[in-house]
Structure formats: C-alpha cells, structure tokens
Amino acid sequence: MTTRASLPLSVLSPEAAAAKNSHKLHRLWEEPHGQHHSDTMRSLRFISAKALASHPQLVQENLDSIAYNLYPLLFKTSYLLEQADITRALLSHWPLEEFRLAVLLGPNIDHPEDLRDRACKACLEACMQGIADHVLRSGSNRLRVADFTGIQDVQVQQCPCGRALGRWGRTKVLARICCQLQGQPCTAGHPIEVFADLFVTEGNFDMVVQALKPSGPAPLQVCCPSLRADSLSPGQLLQVLGLAGPGKLRKLEVVHNVRLHAGHVQQLLAQVGFPQLTSLTLPTKAFDAPPTCAPDPEGEDLLLTSIAWELSQMNQLTELSVAFSTLTGKIQTLLSPLKTPLRVLDLANCALNHEDISFLANCNHTAHLEVLDLSGHNLVHLYPSTFFRLLSQAAQTLKVLTLEDCNITDSHVNMMILGLSPCSQLQQFKFLGNPLSGSALRRLFAALCELPRLRHIEFPVPKDCYPEGAIYPQDELSVSKFDQQKYDMIAEDLQAVLLRANREDIQASTPLFGSFDPDIHETSNELGTFLLQAFKTALENFSRALEQME
C-alpha cells in the first residue's frame, strides 16, 4: 500500500486541493508508507522531482497543481536535466515572491550538487524568457525579484548541451527581452526587479542603454550590482554607469579596450561616485597623465593624489586592480589614504621600485591581503629581503599569489622556499614565465607540498625544454616553441613529487597563454574587430600627419 509523500507542503496553490486525485501526479511524488528517515526523504524528493521532470507535458499541464515549495526543487532538477521547456514554464508560473538563481542552483538538503558553474545556454535563455512570459501572464502578481547573479563561468560546461551563455551573452539576452517588453502593461501592478551582472561592449551598448533607460512603462527594472565594460569610449562608459545606478554598484571592471587616462579616472570617480563599491578594476595605462597635462614643477602627481582621495571615500573598497599602469614611486600616494584594508591587490606590470615594495611590506593592507599579483617585477633579484618581508606580513591571510614573469631563476629557489613556507593559507600559486629548470621545479614542488591548503599550481615550461639562450620574458611566438617530449617527462616527474607526498589534491598545470578568461573568450571576435579598427585609425592618422609634413 502506498500513500502520498509526507512532504513539508507549507504553501499550497489554491488549486492544489482539487489536484490531489490526479493519478499521474500522485504516482510521481509517492513514497513507501512509513519511511521517515531524513536522508531517504531527501533522496526521494529528488528522485520524485527527477521523475516528474522527465515528463515535460505532464509538468506543464499540472503546474497550477504543484505545491509552491516544490517549485525550487523542480526548477533545479529541470536545470540539471536541461529540460528548458519546463524551466521556462516554471518561471512563467513562479508562485513565490523571489527567484534567486544562484540560491536555487546551489547545494541544498534535497540535492547537494552545486550547479552554479553551469552557465547552460538553453536553460539560462529559458529562465529569462520565462520571466518575460510571467509579466505578460494574467494573474501573475507575486514575483517581485528575479536575481540572475552568482553564476560562475568556467571553461568546460557540464550541462548536456555543453554550450555556455557567458556574462556578455546573458546581458544581451536580458537587455533584448527588457526592450521587447517596454510599453507592455504590467499585469502585476508593480515592476519586477531583475538583478544581473552586466557586461557591456560596443556590440550590445545601445540595447543595454535602452534597457536601463526605458522611454515608457517597463515591467522589468534592471538592477546592476556588478558591471564589466570593454571596447567603449570614455563617454559611453560614463553614460552606461550613470544609467546603471552607481550608488548601488558593488563591483566595477573597466578593462582592456576602454582608453582611459588619469584625467578620465579622476573625472569618473569625482562625478559619478560609488559609495557601495567593494571592487574596482581599471584598464591598462589608466594612471598615465593626459596628453595635455603639464608636469607639476614640484614633481607631485596632483591627479593621482585626487584619485587616491576619491578612492578613500569608498568605505567598502577591498579589491583594487590597476595592472599595467606605470606607478613607479607612487604606490604610497595611491594606497595610504584608503580607509579600508584591501583584500585583493593587483599591481602586475606597474614598474614598481624599491620604495613601492618597501611601502607594501610595511603598510596596513598587507596583513589583510588574500589575493596578490606582483607579476612583471624582478622582485627576488632586486629586493629579496623587502619582498620576503612583504610575504611574511601577508602569510596568515594570503590565499592566491601570482608572480608571473618575475625572472625567478634556479638560484632563487631556496629563497622562494623560505619565503613561501609561512604562507599556510595559500591555495593558489601562479608563476608562469620564469626561467626555472626541471630540477629547480622539483625542489620547489616538494616544498609546496608542505602548504596544507594549496590546491592549484600554475608552473612555467621548464627552461630545459627551450633552446639554449632563450630570452625571458618570452613573446607569444617563443613561448610555444619548446620540446614537448622533454616537457612531458618533467611534468610526470613533478606529478610524481605530488603523489609521493600524498598531495593528489593539488592540480598542477601550464596554461601557456595564461588562465582561461571566459569574458575574453566570449567577446574575442568583437575585441579583434575593435583592435583592427583602432589600428586602421592609427594608420590613417599617421598618413595624414605625413601629408601635412610634406
């Protein structure tokens, strides 16, 4: 004899009572009589949801008869199985006040698997289209918040289709849906707040602007806690930031092909203001002086001082990335005014000198750092004692350390071992592009095995694998011309070092051209076109200058 599962049905739809006699639905949610063990209950709830999700037509015909508190589990199950039709239908009928994607896909007692790294194109498009269906559906008036943040973009998708919808694509789909719905009557009587991490480029700029600034009634109101901008002019950046609500922005990434100089940065921070900002990334050369800016007779960088003051007004700023800006002798000016200790600091290729490293070794930020990137600096050779003092100050908090192209050689390995040994919290160590031999890497790996929390190592192609006299740092052409057979042998030896130390939990790899960047991967075609256009414009300007000289 069987009976319906004794699930905690705390919220039932008004039609649920009438559906109790639905034989098919009853059969899919039943459990053995008297079975109450919690682990079994959890597995049965998931098994039942999975069985139901395998019948899309049945689900869609009976959505109004399903208990409200079963929607989240059924949603996660449909997402797992890539049943996009069910996913869309669930959102169309969503009976709860909130839909938070990362929470629904995260581990829970019914299904412990974490699906937040599945940026499945079919399912994400179905989610967003389901929200559109929801606002057009008569009688849908409970949903107030739809949160699409928290998805992790990874290189290999585990969803059945294997096709990802990255941050740029999600922005484009959401913006298009918002634009299509503008002017439609809001059946719920209130707009739905849609939270999304936006990625804006020239390719989707106009659509995003229209979505953020509707000309009339809009049933979807886009809220932007995080914004990434690439391939935009300074004016376009300023426009989209103003529309995105800078007062609520938590993370801002301005990268690569946004051509900013220090004057733009100062204007942006002073005019827009970001009181809630916790993370700021600025593009290459963002601290270079404007072309028309005359140097201060006393040698002071007044623009940098002003920028530092604006940063100091951000009481929640804990992450700062200013890689590839020339900041020689200026780190104290930039960082000392900040009132909140930094947890993330990226100063890669900033041409730092001993004064800068000395400040970092002694400032209050260092004891709080969790992520530090000092790539492109000859640290161990030029400032060994100062650099290792910096490491010792950060040792109790540092989780990710990146030292790429730092000219670390075999003669520095013993010092590196001593410097890294106190870093007991280190989880990732990346040191690509350093001229180290296979024997030096083996010694270093043996020491890294002693770090209890270390899980990820990115190591360089050993210099033994390159022709004698190879020049460092290497360009992209040179770095790929190595003896693959020698590399495989040394890589096997390094893996054996990890195995002998019982550190199978450490993943070691050599990504020749850096770690996978999903945002660059997704927009590579657009960025390539942007760079070609910039190159063409530069040639045209050069040609005109030559003609004027003649």
Side-chain angles (χ1 to χ4, degrees), residues 11 14 44 100 165 212 227 279 287-288 290 325 386 394 418 431 442 529 535 539 550:
V11 185
L44 283 174
R100 298 191 182 275
L165 186 69
L212 292 172
L227 176 70
S279 178
F287 289 102
D288 286 10
S325 284
T386 307
L418 289 174
F431 57 107
R442 282 188 284 271
T529 302
F535 182 62
L539 288 178
E550 293 176 355

Side-chain angles (χ1 to χ4, degrees), residues 102 128 147-153 166-172 174 194-200 204 222-228 249-251 253 519:
M128 295 181 188
D147 187 346
F148 289 100
T149 65
I151 293 295
Q152 302 165 17
D153 295 300
R167 180 160 43 162
W168 186 87
R170 296 195 293 272
T171 300
K172 186 176 181 180
L174 177 61
V194 181
F195 289 83
D197 297 321
L198 301 185
F199 182 6
V200 188
N204 64 8
V222 180
C223 303
C224 177
S226 169
L227 176 70
R228 180 182 175 95
L249 197 65
R250 303 284 291 171
K251 183 174 183 178
E253 297 173 273
D519 295 314

